[in-house]
Amino acid sequence: MNALALSAVCQAVRPGITTRELDRIAEDVIRSHGGVPAFLGYPNPDPFGPAYPATINASVGSELVHGIPGKRRLREGEIISIDVGTILDGYVGDSAVTVPVGAISTEAKRLLEVTEQALRIGIAASRVGSRFGDVSASIQEYVEAQGYNVVREYTGHGVGRDMHEDPQIPNWGKRDRGAPLRAGMTFALEPMVAIGSPDLYVKRDGWTVATTSGNLCAHFEHTLAVTDGEPEILTL
Ligand code: MG
Ligand code: MG
């Protein structure tokens, strides 16, 4: 159902639409299927910061995550990262994509392809016999071999009845380290990739995270389950 909301938003992305309109689309899909938006009212990491006021994260251009939907109209050539979380029957789904607004530059297109491929590689590594360090390292090694950098401040995470459970799963790491993966574990992998420096800052709205360099960045995420065979993507 989280996937339905995310795909409805992606289909609506076009020049001229506002990020608030995208937010309404996601909220309508989630609520009409009996779900609850997981991000709405989410506490700020800063104890004095505002709770999250919307259903989706809509992060444009050099913004990476936690962009608050609003009056901003998308423009041809931009990229937008949409992150959606849903609570249904007491369990959370969390997934994200970065998509083009109309025609985008070759550079931006390649960034999206590499980040999505990094997620596929992380998922493929998520099997019994691996450790979390293997999953993290597989993402980092691929991204860096493509000439990009992984973000350090935000990570994948366990997902269950709560959106953010242990363990944290960074997009960098060392092989043969960390806990071994076991069948039945559920977690979100979310490669976040920047062109140039991956340093980030939080904008004055208290939520929106963007690259300090102003360079483009991208984010792809799925929630998955480890099984005795192929990993199962729960947010497809
Ligand atoms: Mg997410
Ligand atoms: Mg997540």
Side-chain angles (χ1 to χ4, degrees), residues 39 83-84 94-96 190 219 221:
F39 299 171
D83 196 341
V84 188
D94 183 10
S95 67
E190 44 186 316
H219 177 207
E221 175 180 30

Side-chain angles (χ1 to χ4, degrees), residues 34-98:
V36 174
F39 299 171
L40 188 62
Y42 199 83
N44 199 295
D46 173 349
F48 299 105
Y52 195 73
T55 294
I56 65 169
N57 295 167
S59 311
V60 181
S62 65
E63 296 172 358
L64 176 66
V65 288
H66 308 165
I68 299 174
K71 288 180 291 190
R72 190 185 194 297
R73 284 185 192 285
L74 298 183
R75 292 190 299 261
E76 177 90 19
E78 290 180 323
I79 57 173
I80 179 171
S81 298
I82 313 281
D83 196 341
V84 188
T86 303
I87 308 166
L88 185 68
D89 299 333
Y91 289 93
V92 177
D94 183 10
S95 67
V97 292
T98 305

